[in-house]
Amino acid sequence: MTSTNHVQAKQELLNDPTANHEHLPILGHAELLDGAQKLVFDTTPEDANTIASIQTIAGTGANHLGALFLAKTIRPRTVWISDPTWINHEEIWKLADPDIKRQKYPYFNKEILDLDFEGAMSTLSSMAGEGDVVILHGCAHNPTGRDFTKEQWRAIASICEQKRLIPFFDLAYQGFATGVWMKMLGP
Ligand SMILES: Cc1ncc(COP(=O)(O)O)c(C=O)c1O
């Protein structure tokens, strides 16, 4: 941007009576939070008291705050992390509380380049215990790019309900990273 454009842009911002130049409130940008809630939970005004939201610095910050919150309140014995997963899940939970055990549940079968849904189900149903946290990638699983089908999500939800596990959805759409990994794996 040339300095003339810079000055002009600044003037336009100053002239706009609707522009808000204040710091954001502690919880973040209210409209962003509403939009995010609507996207994820399809919220109605009646849901307002049942969902709490906070804006964080990127997805890493969201994972960190979520892990810290659960570590300090629920104090799970174990957090279940998909195998494979985004490289930082393990580190973030270790930082939140090193005493919380980090265990893997099978997710991807490298032989057939497909989900290991049975492996995930059998590990979670036989080994996870009440109050454990299960990290689930809501979409665009990193690094495999393979997601559960609706039917499989229902089965995962039932296991969480039956065993009273705490699902932790990490929703991070990473088209680029996922695309690169799939190229490395196969066609
Ligand atoms: C599953 C998952 N969660 C969180 C993140 C972190 O997101 P951000 O780069 O916005 O911190 C990534 C980034 O690749 C990711 O793949």
Side-chain angles (χ1 to χ4, degrees):
M1 190 185 275
T2 65
S3 71
T4 333
N5 283 345
H6 179 83
V7 171
Q8 198 180 334
K10 194 172 165 189
Q11 200 52 53
E12 278 178 29
L13 277 173
L14 287 173
N15 291 345
D16 180 356
T18 64
N20 181 354
H21 303 286
E22 289 299 330
H23 289 286
L24 287 177
I26 289 286
L27 291 181
H29 192 284
E31 282 168 31
L32 174 80
L33 295 173
D34 281 352
Q37 279 192 1
K38 189 133 191 48
L39 180 73
V40 175
F41 298 106
D42 197 18
T43 42
T44 60
E46 294 81 65
D47 299 321
N49 292 333
T50 62
I51 302 171
S53 299
I54 185 165
Q55 183 179 350
T56 61
I57 298 177
T60 306
N63 272 275
H64 172 71
L65 272 191
L68 208 54
F69 172 69
L70 290 170
K72 295 225 176 286
T73 52
I74 311 274
R75 300 201 49 76
R77 223 170 306 150
T78 304
V79 55
W80 292 89
I81 300 173
S82 70
D83 181 18
T85 195
W86 174 51
I87 194 168
N88 289 335
H89 278 144
E90 179 124 8
E91 211 53 40
I92 284 171
W93 277 85
K94 192 160 104 187
L95 270 174
D97 186 341
D99 292 335
I100 297 172
K101 217 164 146 197
R102 298 170 303 276
Q103 295 253 71
K104 301 232 164 99
Y105 64 87
Y107 188 82
F108 195 72
N109 181 332
K110 283 188 191 148
E111 304 295 313
I112 56 166
L113 298 180
D114 206 352
L115 281 180
D116 184 2
F117 176 65
E118 279 71 32
M121 287 292 283
S122 80
T123 299
L124 291 176
S125 55
S126 64
M127 294 173 71
E130 182 170 340
D132 285 357
V133 169
V134 186
I135 298 183
L136 298 156
H137 299 218
C139 64
H141 180 273
N142 185 357
T144 69
R146 292 304 311 268
D147 295 326
F148 293 131
T149 62
K150 262 196 181 167
E151 224 27 63
Q152 290 171 334
W153 274 119
R154 284 198 187 97
I156 297 281
S158 295
I159 294 270
C160 289
E161 206 167 26
Q162 277 163 32
K163 304 211 69 182
R164 302 181 64 78
L165 311 178
I166 299 163
F168 183 121
F169 291 97
D170 180 0
L171 287 149
Y173 181 65
Q174 297 287 328
F176 177 70
T178 302
V180 171
W181 176 261
M182 288 312 285
K183 259 200 156 148
M184 277 157 44
L185 281 177

